[in-house]
Amino acid sequence: MDLLQTGTHLRDLGHQRNVVDPTTAALHAPSDEYWMASPTERPQQGTLLLLRGELAEELIPRLPTRSCSISPQAARLHVQLLHAVDPLAREETALSLVHCVLSDARAQPERARSVSRAWRRLSEELQHVVATRFKERLTLDLMASACRTSPFHASRVFRAVTGETLHRHLTRVRLRAALFELQGAAGRLTEIALALGFSSHSHFTQAFQEEFGCAPSSLMGGPVRGRKTLSWEKD
């Protein structure tokens, strides 16, 4: 299970192609053959959860897709995992995160299969723009221009392919980034809000509260850096 904190990459698995960013989880089974490519030189940070033995066989998802949207609960568990110091707490949090993401995957509505290849490609390009430029003051015109299309077409295609609006997706990407930016950020909420592209401290706080059910100030803590890899198997 691959979970990103920052950055983005493209993954080709069979006939499926996905843009993996901090709002999604990439799921892999031992028999999967896939290709991954990074469309940008910007660094990626993330967490890789490896399950082996009976535990892997018990939890490997039997799903029509191996990429899913991450719920706010799973995003918070990801942050808790990175801050867990006690080995037992880390293992229990990791297992809770795995179960939560797999539940998200099973509950996720199936994406439209009838859209054209060109529409899927445009949706991927728009996701890439959001994932790599979310700190900018992005507008529909700017995102459409970056993908060489019209604002109306960009908005219509993205919603048809992903099931959500560009505005909603951009907000989710910014809020996922906020979960990690908040570490060690006491007294800098306004600075962080503006740096992530929100119009004000109050706008950021309201969006964060609606997404995660708590104020951003309640999640401040120490810094989280680097890529984490956790591996374990069932005895």
Side-chain angles (χ1 to χ4, degrees):
M1 182 175 294
D2 191 7
L3 304 167
L4 288 180
Q5 295 170 231
T6 61
T8 180
H9 57 248
L10 298 174
R11 185 188 64 164
D12 287 288
L13 173 61
H15 297 294
Q16 294 183 357
R17 187 180 190 186
N18 306 106
V19 177
V20 182
D21 62 25
T23 70
T24 60
L27 312 175
H28 306 282
S31 59
D32 288 343
E33 293 185 5
Y34 59 91
W35 293 91
M36 294 177 63
S38 177
T40 177
E41 294 182 356
R42 296 188 180 187
Q44 299 178 22
Q45 290 182 311
T47 303
L48 185 64
L49 301 176
L50 304 176
L51 307 178
R52 295 189 174 95
E54 293 181 11
L55 184 61
E57 294 188 9
E58 178 183 338
L59 295 178
I60 285 175
R62 302 292 190 264
L63 302 169
T65 180
R66 297 222 185 271
S67 178
C68 71
S69 179
I70 299 174
S71 67
Q73 180 185 0
R76 289 193 60 177
L77 284 169
H78 187 188
V79 174
Q80 291 175 25
L81 173 63
L82 297 180
H83 282 276
V85 177
D86 180 80
L88 179 57
R90 186 184 303 120
E91 183 174 7
E92 289 185 328
T93 302
L95 288 174
S96 294
L97 176 56
V98 169
H99 280 292
C100 187
V101 171
L102 296 184
S103 295
D104 292 342
R106 294 187 180 97
Q108 182 173 287
E110 187 174 346
R111 292 184 180 181
R113 296 181 179 274
S114 59
V115 298
S116 69
R117 191 173 184 178
W119 277 32
R120 291 192 182 279
R121 180 61 179 171
L122 176 55
S123 176
E124 291 168 3
E125 291 178 359
L126 288 165
Q127 281 184 268
H128 174 62
V129 170
V130 172
T132 56
R133 300 175 60 179
F134 65 90
K135 292 185 177 182
E136 301 177 25
R137 293 301 177 90
L138 293 178
T139 64
L140 189 54
D141 281 342
L142 193 155
M143 289 186 282
S145 177
C147 297
R148 304 166 301 283
T149 190
S150 70
F152 173 77
H153 189 59
S155 178
R156 179 179 62 167
V157 167
F158 191 83
R159 186 163 192 167
V161 175
T162 68
E164 67 179 349
T165 65
L166 274 166
H167 176 264
R168 174 58 183 154
H169 183 69
L170 174 60
T171 300
R172 287 203 307 124
V173 170
R174 286 171 170 167
L175 291 173
R176 295 302 189 269
L179 283 174
F180 302 99
E181 293 284 346
L182 287 174
Q183 310 311 315
R188 297 193 301 113
L189 281 183
T190 298
E191 176 186 336
I192 289 174
L194 297 178
L196 290 175
F198 291 96
S199 59
S200 65
H201 176 288
S202 60
H203 178 209
F204 167 57
T205 300
Q206 179 181 357
F208 195 96
Q209 180 82 42
E210 291 175 354
E211 182 78 359
F212 300 113
C214 64
S217 58
S218 67
L219 299 182
M220 291 179 177
V224 174
R225 300 183 183 278
R227 183 178 181 84
K228 308 292 183 182
T229 302
L230 287 86
S231 175
W232 70 94
E233 57 187 299
K234 187 175 183 179
D235 294 333

